[in-house]
């Protein structure tokens, strides 16, 4: 076999692919099941954006914390939240990550450092600052990451958090997932600066922009700024330019897209295809090995859906549990 030109060994590359494929199939299945009317509430899919979530979160341990967005399934899976429990949560069933009472936009698993998806744009950034402040006191080299969309990057909470993080030199990284749209509004219509690096500089933070569909570019850039934060170097901003495969929410007709845009995205900007081409092209992993992961993932997702459908609904008595934390 040829030498491995990648910064990850083969088991780590296979694991990264498995995580990205799990997110993709999880989301594609939700797309189908939602259109059948099987899923309650709102669902925002992360398909197309996998390389960013997995490339960044792959650099973290359980002691590191993340604050997610309304488009949070990918962050959850990347952070190690159980897809079986997530599926139950999205179906609103007992046994879900939050007892089936939160749904898609509120999945959290504190044991994995996943502080929660969040339906309020920009609300994760102050939470990540709090987690980073705690990490700074603990002195174990832990970091916190706040994910935010290009649209949410205009929220006051986000901008105030950049300032607070810089002033307090917090070990926090702000990831702007720039998929070009906030609902149906083009990024260029809603954000005045071309580069988030400039915006970060305005608050005294270093910023980096990467191709968010290139797993290796994301992984490398994230690795550097996370390591810097772990060793006391302070906060940073990472912009990932990416694409979303589906509408803003499930049911969105996407009439605001240019003609042919979605075909181009799927054909030329698919992070999973890019990853597969890179690792098979280098002779490090075979197409057969990737296909075996694809099959195993499809089986897992099928099992998750079967179990979610079979699980009972929360009861009226469940309404009053999990409201307050006991210490
Ligand atoms: C404070 C607040 N304002 C408005 C909304 C409604 N809303 C939900 S998602 C969204 C667009 C988000 O766009 P972006 O941040 O780019 O994330 P993306 O959906 O592209 O991942 C808006 C306006 C909200 N949830 N919270
Ligand atoms: Mg967006």
């Amino acid at each position: 076999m040829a030498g491995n030109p990648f910064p990850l060994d083969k088991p780590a590359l296979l694991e990264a692919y498995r995580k990205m494929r799990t997110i993709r199939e999880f989301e594609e299945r939700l797309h189908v099941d939602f259109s059948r009317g099987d899923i309650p509430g709102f669902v925002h899919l992360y398909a197309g954006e996998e390389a960013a979530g997995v490339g960044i979160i792959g650099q973290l341990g359980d002691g590191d914390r993340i604050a997610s967005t309304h488009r949070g399934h990918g962050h959850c899976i990347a952070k190690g939240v159980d897809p079986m429990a997530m599926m139950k949560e999205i179906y609103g069933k007992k046994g879900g990550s939050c007892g089936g009472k939160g749904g898609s936009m509120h999945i959290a698993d504190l044991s994995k450092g996943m502080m929660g998806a969040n339906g309020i744009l920009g609300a994760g950034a102050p939470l990540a600052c709090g987690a980073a402040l705690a990490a700074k006191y603990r002195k174990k080299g832990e970091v916190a990451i706040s994910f935010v969309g290009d649209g949410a990057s205009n929220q006051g909470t986000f901008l105030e958090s950049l300032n607070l993080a810089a002033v307090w030199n917090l070990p926090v990284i702000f990831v702007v997932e720039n998929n070009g749209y906030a609902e149906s509004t083009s990024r260029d219509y809603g954000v005045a600066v071309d580069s988030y690096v400039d915006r970060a500089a305005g608050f005294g933070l270093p910023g980096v922009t990467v191709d968010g569909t290139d797993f290796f570019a994301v992984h490398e850039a994230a690795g550097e700024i996370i390591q810097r934060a772990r060793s006391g170097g302070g906060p940073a901003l990472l912009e990932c330019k990416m694409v979303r495969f589906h509408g803003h929410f499930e049911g969105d007709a996407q009439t605001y897209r240019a003609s042919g845009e979605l075909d181009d995205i799927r054909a030329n900007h698919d992070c999973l295809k890019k990853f597969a081409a890179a690792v098979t092209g280098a002779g490090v992993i075979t197409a057969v090995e990737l296909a075996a992961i694809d099959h195993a993932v499809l089986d897992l997702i099928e099992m998750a859906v079967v179990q979610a459908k079979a699980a009972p609904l929360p009861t009226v008595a469940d309404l009053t549990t999990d409201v307050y934390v006991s210490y």
Side-chain angles (χ1 to χ4, degrees):
M1 203 212 325
N4 180 352
F6 303 108
L8 296 168
D9 62 15
K10 184 168 172 175
L13 289 170
L14 288 169
E15 176 61 10
Y17 180 79
R18 191 182 64 75
K19 280 251 164 76
M20 288 197 285
R21 179 58 70 190
T22 304
I23 296 170
R24 176 68 54 88
E25 298 303 344
F26 193 94
E27 300 295 64
E28 295 296 1
R29 182 63 188 259
L30 287 182
H31 178 67
V32 172
D33 288 2
F34 190 92
S35 69
R36 286 190 190 131
D38 290 350
I39 296 170
F42 266 96
V43 173
H44 306 84
L45 300 181
Y46 197 71
E49 307 187 357
E50 295 88 347
V54 175
I56 294 162
I57 295 170
Q59 302 275 9
L60 304 181
D62 283 354
D64 299 314
R65 290 174 174 76
I66 66 166
S68 178
T69 68
H70 57 289
R71 200 176 295 288
H73 306 159
H75 304 142
C76 291
I77 291 173
K79 197 73 174 73
V81 182
D82 177 15
M84 311 292 280
M86 285 177 59
M87 194 64 88
K88 285 195 187 118
E89 188 59 42
I90 292 166
Y91 268 79
K93 297 296 188 69
K94 263 185 181 291
S97 315
C98 305
K101 296 184 284 184
S104 164
M105 272 188 280
H106 303 100
I107 299 177
D109 184 345
L110 300 185
S111 72
K112 296 288 177 189
M114 166 62 194
M115 298 195 295
N118 206 318
I120 311 295
L121 298 182
L127 295 180
C129 285
L133 182 62
K136 193 172 170 178
Y137 275 107
R138 285 196 198 100
K139 293 190 171 50
K140 289 187 195 158
E142 294 160 352
V143 299
I145 301 210
S146 160
F147 289 91
V148 71
D150 47 284
S153 74
N154 291 324
Q155 285 293 113
T157 45
F158 177 71
L159 300 166
E160 290 173 42
S161 296
L162 293 182
N163 187 54
L164 191 70
V167 168
W168 285 355
N169 197 41
L170 297 177
V172 58
I173 288 100
F174 300 95
V175 175
V176 179
E177 296 188 316
N178 176 6
N179 59 15
Y181 293 96
E183 298 198 349
S184 56
T185 304
S186 155
R187 192 214 87 109
D188 296 336
Y189 184 84
V191 185
V193 290
D194 284 337
S195 166
Y196 286 92
V197 173
D198 294 341
R199 186 173 267 186
F203 289 93
L205 271 70
V208 184
T209 296
V210 286
D211 174 357
T213 68
D214 178 345
F215 170 85
F216 297 103
V218 174
H219 190 265
E220 185 183 351
E224 281 169 18
I225 57 179
I226 288 170
Q227 199 42 50
R228 186 173 159 275
R230 286 197 197 291
S231 51
L237 182 148
L238 176 64
E239 176 197 9
C240 297
K241 291 192 167 172
M242 63 214 312
V243 290
R244 73 166 146 75
F245 276 15
H246 291 282
H248 167 63
F249 58 92
E250 284 312 277
D252 173 4
Q254 301 191 73
T255 48
Y256 48 87
R257 297 253 197 204
S259 91
E261 185 176 329
L262 276 173
D263 292 339
D264 175 58
I265 282 173
R266 290 229 181 213
N268 303 315
H269 302 283
D270 181 339
C271 58
L272 270 151
K273 279 189 196 159
K274 285 188 185 182
F275 183 96
V279 294
T280 56
V284 178
I285 294 174
T286 66
V288 173
E289 288 171 312
L290 295 182
I293 292 177
D294 295 349
H295 286 127
V297 165
L298 280 172
D299 287 349
L300 176 88
I301 302 300
E302 175 63 22
M303 208 191 326
V305 172
V306 168
Q307 289 192 10
K309 285 185 173 170
L313 290 164
T315 63
V316 172
D318 292 326
L319 274 176
T320 53
T321 60
D322 306 322
V323 179
Y324 298 108
V325 174
S326 308
Y327 292 99

